[in-house]
């Protein structure tokens, strides 16, 4: 019984041309038993920075609340909204604070910075950052997500094509994972628009 | 071996808990009330490590009461669930964590919706239309998946609850005895008899 | 200070335990896809143990008959031993009956051979690809103790979890809604994939797996088995890092 796999769930983020996308499944489970299928794992940090926290569901909520507090404190002290790059480091140091008793989550981050450049990042449960240029994955279906994303993703996808790519990546990956699935949510972030879509998925 | 259920309907939330207080293989008591009324429209069904359960339930009850006295306003169900979850999540990384699982919910008069929260000892919080804790979950969740409808009235809700309890009596090897059932709706919280559906008058 | 040979534990009468692990995992990935009149069986050529590459050119595919190819991954020694014995059984069969068994019959034989070692199994995942009795392309996949099934595509081995969802998506068209302007196919039937499409799927699957899995790479062997034309092998390079 692994703590990281107790509740199940997966996230993925991808870079497009002037846009980014981030998606998660909706399952909340207790080992093999599904408790709920409305459990979103992706949250907004700012208007154009989003992050997903798959892993232990309790820590998903705890860290989400903690990050909300820290992002608000940053906004008040600096009198500006936090950049996705800075936010990634904020998440990383928040996790590293608990180096020897970690929060059991592996975050993915997606956003568009002040120069309208797309940005994604991921990290492990103690905050080791990974700034990928293409896509990042996390959660119980991460291996399957790697296989899907590696073969579907291509550079400079427009927002609509990026949405299709990330949706197919997530759906086909979670369909082969018993701990993920039961619905999915996809966010596409463009420089002046954010779209949230619920995907119709297999419910088994 | 404890079991608790929660079901939301159109304008109410139903809670059911078994009444056995067991120690090892012995039933020490068969009329234990494992629920607490923690607000005018709020109920909490608790299960877990004996000792921790009552201790934690009373801690939640007194803190919610204190909030109400200080602010002249009760916490709404979502806020009460969030606060309670936080206590469990904090406790989890302490020297001696509380080992308590909860179903918390009630009727929110401000937006007139029934709300139900599934919370476990790790501090996991799920917002759900129906839920179960303990071995009952393995038997009753599929029954609830099949029969639950969001706009059920109280009689239909009790019928679904009876289906779940019947399933336990038929397939679960342990006899759990009677069930305590409470309803939270716009009028407040009242205990009902599962068989007759009539209100139970406190002695 | 006690010397090496005079440890206290040697004199306490405590039982000494020794163990020998007869299995190893040599990585690698195999894959097979079938269509209307052909089948493709493919495998990478890396063979590894832990973080070490033992060879960059190990064959995992074996041609059994004119129209049947077998691919094996898992423990290399068990894989080759199994392939050798299957080939031997087929030769005996040919000598007694003067004919070559069909793919379905070979599949059943592989099951009995695998299950015959139920309590000391071949640590090998087997996929058979070829042309079946009815003249259609077919794929049979096995677990190490002989459970098997006819399918139209299957991946196995180290990168199974990377490749299989991709095949679900591209071969079975999972999570893809049909074009409403095109008349739907009869129930149970799926679109016939042409050879070029399947070949590019196989190459995409393996380049993707090579990119993200350390036990996959070096080279790619693709066997194409076309009805009436027999089996043909082609080789392509994969990344060697």
């Amino acid at each position: 019984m692994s703590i990281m796999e107790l509740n199940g769930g997966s996230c993925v983020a991808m870079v497009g041309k002037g846009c980014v996308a981030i998606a998660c499944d909706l399952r909340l489970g207790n080992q093999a038993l599904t408790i709920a299928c409305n459990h979103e794992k992706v949250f907004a940090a700012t208007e154009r920075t989003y992050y997903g926290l798959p892993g232990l569901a309790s820590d998903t909520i705890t860290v989400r609340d903690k990050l909300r507090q820290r992002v608000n404190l940053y906004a008040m002290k600096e009198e500006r909204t936090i950049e996705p790059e800075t936010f990634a480091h904020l998440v990383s140091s928040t996790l590293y604070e608990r180096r020897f008793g970690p929060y059991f989550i592996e975050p993915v981050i997606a956003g568009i910075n002040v120069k309208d450049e797309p940005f994604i990042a991921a990290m492990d449960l103690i905050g080791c950052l990974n700034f990928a240029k293409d896509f990042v994955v996390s959660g119980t279906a991460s291996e399957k997500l790697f296989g899907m994303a590696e073969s579907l993703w291509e550079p400079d996808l427009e927002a609509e094509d990026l949405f299709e790519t990330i949706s197919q990546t997530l759906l086909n990956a979670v369909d082969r994972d018993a701990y993920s699935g039961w619905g999915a949510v996809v966010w596409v972030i463009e420089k002046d628009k954010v779209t949230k879509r619920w995907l119709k998925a297999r419910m088994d | 071996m404890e079991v608790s259920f929660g079901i939301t309907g159109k304008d109410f939330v139903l809670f059911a808990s078994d009444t056995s207080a067991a120690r090892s293989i012995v039933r020490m008591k068969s009329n234990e009330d494992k629920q607490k009324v923690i607000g005018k429209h709020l109920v909490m069904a608790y299960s877990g490590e004996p000792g921790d359960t009552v201790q934690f339930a009373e801690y939640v009850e007194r803190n919610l009461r204190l909030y109400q006295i200080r602010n002249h306003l009760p916490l709404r169900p979502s806020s009460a669930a969030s606060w309670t979850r936080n206590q469990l999540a904090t406790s989890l990384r302490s020297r001696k964590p509380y080992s308590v699982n909860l179903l918390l919910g009630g009727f929110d008069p401000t937006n007139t919706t029934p709300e139900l929260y599934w919370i476990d000892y790790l501090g996991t919080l799920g917002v759900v239309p129906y839920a179960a804790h303990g071995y009952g979950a393995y038997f009753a969740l599929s029954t609830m998946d099949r029969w639950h409808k969001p706009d059920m009235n109280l009689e239909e809700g009790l019928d679904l609850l009876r289906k779940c309890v019947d399933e336990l009596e038929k397939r679960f090897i342990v006899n759990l005895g009677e069930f305590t059932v409470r309803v939270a709706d716009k009028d407040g919280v009242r205990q009902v008899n599962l068989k007759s559906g009539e209100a139970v008058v406190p002695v | 200070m006690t010397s090496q040979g005079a440890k206290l534990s040697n004199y306490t009468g405590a039982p000494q335990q020794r163990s020998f692990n007869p299995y190893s995992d040599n990585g690698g990935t195999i894959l097979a896809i079938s269509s209307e009149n052909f089948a493709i069986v493919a495998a990478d050529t890396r063979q590894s143990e832990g973080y070490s590459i033992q060879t960059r050119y190990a064959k995992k595919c074996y041609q059994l008959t004119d129209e049947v190819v077998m691919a094996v991954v898992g423990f290399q020694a068990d894989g080759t031993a199994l392939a050798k014995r299957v080939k031997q059984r087929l030769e005996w069969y040919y000598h007694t009956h003067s004919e070559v068994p069909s793919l379905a019959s070979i599949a059943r034989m592989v099951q009995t051979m695998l299950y015959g070692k139920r309590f000391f199994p071949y640590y090998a995942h087997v996929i058979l690809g070829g042309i079946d009795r009815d003249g259609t392309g077919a794929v049979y996949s096995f677990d190490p103790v002989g459970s098997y099934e006819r399918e139209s595509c299957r991946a196995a081995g180290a990168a199974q979890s990377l490749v299989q969802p991709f095949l679900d998506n591209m071969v079975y068209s999972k999570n893809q809604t049909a074009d409403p302007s095109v008349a739907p196919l009869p129930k149970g039937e799926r679109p016939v994939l042409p050879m070029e499409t399947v070949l590019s799927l196989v190459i995409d699957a393996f380049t993707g797996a090579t990119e993200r899995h350390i036990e996959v790479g070096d080279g790619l062997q693709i066997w194409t088995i076309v009805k009436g034309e027999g089996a043909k092998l082609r080789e392509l390079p994969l990344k060697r890092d």
Side-chain angles (χ1 to χ4, degrees), chain B residues 45-97:
Chain B
Y46 51 86
S47 56
E49 178 86 13
D52 279 11
T53 47
V54 177
Q55 185 74 19
F56 185 76
E58 287 181 358
Y59 174 71
V60 173
E61 182 189 34
R62 288 348 298 174
N63 273 280
L64 294 185
R65 179 76 187 113
L66 176 63
Y67 183 96
Q68 200 172 335
I69 293 166
R70 278 183 176 161
N71 300 287
H72 309 289
L73 262 180
L75 276 178
R76 293 169 64 178
S78 56
S79 315
S82 200
W83 182 85
T84 310
R85 185 212 82 85
N86 228 299
Q87 293 302 311
L88 284 171
T90 313
S91 152
L92 184 70
R93 287 186 161 83
S94 69
R95 198 178 55 78
K96 175 71 175 69

Side-chain angles (χ1 to χ4, degrees), chain B residues 97-137:
Chain B
Y98 282 115
S99 188
V100 185
N101 300 318
L102 306 167
L103 291 176
L104 197 153
F107 185 80
D108 190 346
T110 51
N111 57 6
T112 65
T113 47
E115 285 167 28
L116 178 62
Y117 300 92
W118 182 96
I119 302 172
D120 74 1
Y121 72 101
L122 298 164
T124 315
L125 180 136
V127 190
V128 286
Y130 46 86
H133 268 306
Y135 285 108

Side-chain angles (χ1 to χ4, degrees), chain C residues 23 25 37 69 112:
Chain C
Y23 292 122
D25 181 357
N37 66 338
V69 172
T112 53

Side-chain angles (χ1 to χ4, degrees), chain C residues 124-142:
Chain C
H125 292 263
V126 180
I127 300 178
L128 290 179
I131 309 298
D132 216 340
R133 257 188 300 233
D134 56 6
T136 61
V139 166
Y140 288 86
S141 66
F142 299 78

Side-chain angles (χ1 to χ4, degrees), chain A residues 135-172:
Chain A
F135 54 82
V136 285
V137 303
S138 178
T140 53
S142 59
E143 273 198 26
K144 288 114 185 165
L145 285 165
F146 267 129
M148 282 309 297
E150 190 62 59
S151 37
L152 295 193
W153 185 87
E154 49 191 281
D156 296 325
L157 287 163
E158 297 294 337
E160 275 310 298
D161 298 333
L162 184 67
F163 164 70
E164 193 61 32
T165 307
I166 198 170
S167 302
Q168 290 293 334
T169 299
L170 184 69
L171 288 176
N172 290 286

Side-chain angles (χ1 to χ4, degrees), chain A residues 25-42:
Chain A
D25 71 327
L26 291 177
R27 183 177 182 266
L28 168 66
N30 208 213
Q31 303 204 68
L33 181 74
T34 300
I35 300 298
C37 30
N38 59 355
H39 196 76
E40 291 186 38
K41 294 152 195 85
V42 170

Side-chain angles (χ1 to χ4, degrees), chain B residues 5 132 135-145 160 164-165 167-168:
Chain B
F5 299 132
Y135 285 108
Y138 296 100
F139 295 91
L141 279 182
S142 49
T143 309
M144 295 186 190
D145 285 335
L160 174 52
C164 295
V165 173
E167 188 70 19
L168 278 187

